[in-house]
Amino acid sequence: MKNISYLLIAFIFFCSCSVKNADISLKTVEKTLDIAQQQTLLMAKAMEKLPGRLPKSISPDGQLETSSEYWWTSGFFPGQLWYMYEYSGDERLKNQAELFLERVENQQYVTDNHDVGFIVFCSFGNAYRITSNEAYLPIIENAAKSLSTRYSPVTKTICSWDRASWNNQWQYAVIIDNMMNLELLEWSAHKFNEPRFSDIAQSHANTTMANHFRPDGSSFHVVSYDTITGLPELYHTSQGFSHESAWARGQAWGLYGYTLMYRYTNNKNYLDQAQKIADFLINHPRLPADKIPYWDFDAPDIPNALRDASAGAIMCSALLELHQYVQPQKGREYLDVAKKQLVSLCSDTYLAKVGTNHNFILKHALGHQPNGTEVDVPLSYADYYFVEALMRYREQFGE
Ligand code: GLY
């Protein structure tokens, strides 16, 4: 009897420890935001000396890798600075945010790819949200106009990549990542009273919903359309393991994209699509216990495959929004996964110590495995969506 009691006490103790481990405290979130704030200031100091450049990653020889404003990730660091200013009220961060905004301002006019949405909305969108400075508005509106030029009424989508830029292998490439650019259009439609921006965004989201997804809720990376018939011609990947595989960051982009489309439109189809993606992800037998995905759910070397902290951070931020829109039981499931992701990303495994990691916040992200570039490195967008997830958690669960 005595032995059974000891066993019972040990069992209860074990259970309470595991529940505790699965949970994230506000204290940990704020401690991590403090670390993020210090890293962001150090990064800004280092980048000040490199005019026109934006942080990107760490190169194979261990150096800080930067990009020009034309690389798709250029808006993330200005956006991160704004989040950190919002968190701390530290005027040094605001000054730096203004400096780095200038570096991406000309992107408002770029029409030769779809990344203007990422670049301008993560930077100037946050700048306006936080400061209400009206000087930012024409820049955002111009960016929405630029992105709209890439819409085709034949394919009913926005073109991601120009045909010539990929050796003509795709007539009209649309990548799942493109869902993220729709926020620029939806926000601008409301702000500037331009319903056509929203029409384009919804048309793109509807066509993508019809053609990018498999019955299990996973998505292809690239769908190319025939420019005459407007119908899909090829279902491919660029950054995933194979055409048929579930590239982790692509799944996270889709999850985030349909969640934000529901926020702006209240269209239940988008909510259902976001839930389908979330259910595919959270119930996937190859989603690891710490909930940070392998770079591709079908990577052949799982469980030894590399993780992608950027996919984990994007998914976490999206789930922290989506859990609020769904039935309570589902919401608890989504929130539980998001919290586990925060526990993991706030741990020493993924979170860099202040002054290390070339001042990036997270370690172990993966840019482009098939090309062998940005493999197991920090990435500016992993940091951006991680900081966003921490801020979302704090807003919802702060005192
Ligand atoms: N949008 C490109 C990527 O996710 O790598």
Side-chain angles (χ1 to χ4, degrees):
M1 190 63 196
K2 209 168 160 191
N3 279 351
I4 291 177
S5 307
Y6 282 143
L7 272 176
L8 198 64
I9 291 167
F11 179 69
I12 290 168
F13 178 70
F14 172 75
C15 288
S16 69
C17 285
S18 357
V19 170
K20 227 181 187 164
N21 281 342
D23 219 343
I24 181 88
S25 67
L26 185 62
K27 202 168 140 210
T28 302
V29 165
E30 292 190 334
K31 203 175 118 206
T32 307
L33 280 164
D34 291 341
I35 291 169
Q37 183 189 341
Q38 292 175 67
Q39 287 291 77
T40 308
L41 271 169
L42 288 170
M43 178 68 94
K45 273 262 150 262
M47 292 298 306
E48 260 178 7
K49 303 172 201 128
L50 305 170
R53 309 293 295 175
L54 286 307
K56 183 174 175 244
S57 185
I58 295 182
S59 63
D61 62 354
Q63 305 302 309
L64 173 67
E65 200 170 274
T66 65
S67 77
S68 79
E69 64 184 284
Y70 288 94
W71 182 240
W72 75 277
T73 62
S74 64
F76 292 117
F77 185 60
Q80 180 185 321
L81 281 158
W82 283 114
Y83 270 126
M84 289 292 90
Y85 170 63
E86 185 181 26
Y87 169 64
S88 64
D90 182 337
E91 287 295 317
R92 290 174 302 171
L93 284 158
K94 187 177 184 207
N95 294 338
Q96 293 287 12
E98 284 165 353
L99 176 79
F100 285 91
L101 265 193
E102 272 176 34
R103 295 189 183 185
V104 298
E105 190 172 329
N106 281 334
Q107 289 299 301
Q108 65 187 295
Y109 302 115
V110 168
T111 57
D112 68 0
N113 69 79
H114 69 163
D115 292 321
V116 60
F118 271 118
I119 296 172
V120 173
F121 205 69
C122 294
S123 56
F124 284 91
N126 277 310
Y128 180 77
R129 182 179 62 77
I130 292 165
T131 64
S132 303
N133 181 345
E134 302 215 331
Y136 299 141
L137 290 177
I139 296 162
I140 300 173
E141 190 174 8
N142 284 335
K145 285 182 186 156
S146 297
L147 183 57
S148 307
T149 65
R150 299 187 63 76
Y151 178 77
S152 153
V154 178
T155 65
K156 298 187 170 50
T157 59
I158 296 163
C159 185
S160 300
W161 297 328
D162 283 356
R163 190 173 183 164
S165 62
W166 288 85
N167 276 341
N168 298 324
Q169 66 175 305
W170 298 303
Q171 283 189 43
Y172 189 103
V174 177
I175 61 173
I176 189 66
D177 324 26
N178 206 337
M179 286 300 302
M180 300 297 285
N181 294 310
L182 304 185
E183 183 158 15
L184 168 68
L185 295 177
E186 282 295 345
W187 189 89
S188 298
H190 293 88
K191 188 73 191 171
F192 306 119
N193 196 19
E194 283 265 20
R196 90 188 160 95
F197 291 150
S198 180
D199 294 345
I200 289 174
Q202 291 187 49
S203 177
H204 181 94
N206 295 341
T207 310
T208 299
M209 197 150 69
N211 297 325
H212 252 86
F213 290 91
R214 309 183 183 104
D216 65 1
S218 69
S219 59
F220 297 98
H221 182 201
V222 185
V223 175
S224 175
Y225 290 82
D226 181 309
T227 52
I228 308 292
T229 65
L231 297 173
E233 56 145 6
L234 294 167
Y235 298 88
H236 274 182
T237 196
S238 172
Q239 281 159 267
F241 166 66
S242 72
H243 296 329
E244 288 305 320
S245 73
W247 173 51
R249 194 163 56 253
Q251 312 312 306
W253 291 141
L255 174 68
Y256 195 116
Y258 281 98
T259 304
L260 80 84
M261 282 304 291
Y262 176 69
R263 184 200 323 148
Y264 281 99
T265 63
N266 236 4
N267 180 339
K268 176 92 169 33
N269 292 338
Y270 299 145
L271 182 62
D272 290 346
Q273 186 62 49
Q275 280 197 243
K276 266 189 218 153
I277 304 168
D279 292 342
F280 169 80
L281 289 170
I282 71 169
N283 298 316
H284 199 291
R286 290 188 291 279
L287 180 67
D290 71 359
K291 310 297 178 195
I292 306 304
Y294 298 105
W295 70 277
D296 191 304
F297 282 88
D298 301 295
D301 51 343
I302 289 174
N304 299 317
L306 291 167
R307 305 296 189 87
D308 178 9
S310 76
I314 298 159
M315 185 179 158
C316 177
S317 187
L319 289 175
L320 281 170
E321 176 170 10
L322 183 61
H323 85 92
Q324 303 173 100
Y325 303 150
V326 298
Q327 295 299 319
Q329 174 54 32
K330 261 288 158 220
R332 279 191 289 277
E333 281 176 39
Y334 295 164
L335 183 59
D336 185 54
V337 172
K339 284 180 174 177
K340 284 182 177 143
Q341 289 175 319
L342 284 180
V343 169
S344 304
L345 295 174
C346 292
S347 75
D348 289 346
T349 307
Y350 292 97
L351 183 67
K353 299 250 180 300
V354 173
T356 68
N357 207 33
H358 279 288
N359 309 318
F360 288 99
I361 302 165
L362 288 178
K363 305 177 274 184
H364 303 308
L366 206 152
H368 202 315
Q369 174 80 331
N371 271 359
T373 51
E374 299 175 338
V375 175
D376 197 16
V377 287
L379 289 166
S380 58
Y381 45 99
D383 288 1
Y384 174 90
Y385 288 102
F386 179 46
V387 160
E388 181 182 83
L390 293 166
M391 292 294 280
R392 285 181 169 183
Y393 182 90
R394 187 168 176 262
E395 196 183 310
Q396 289 172 40
F397 303 104
E399 280 121 32

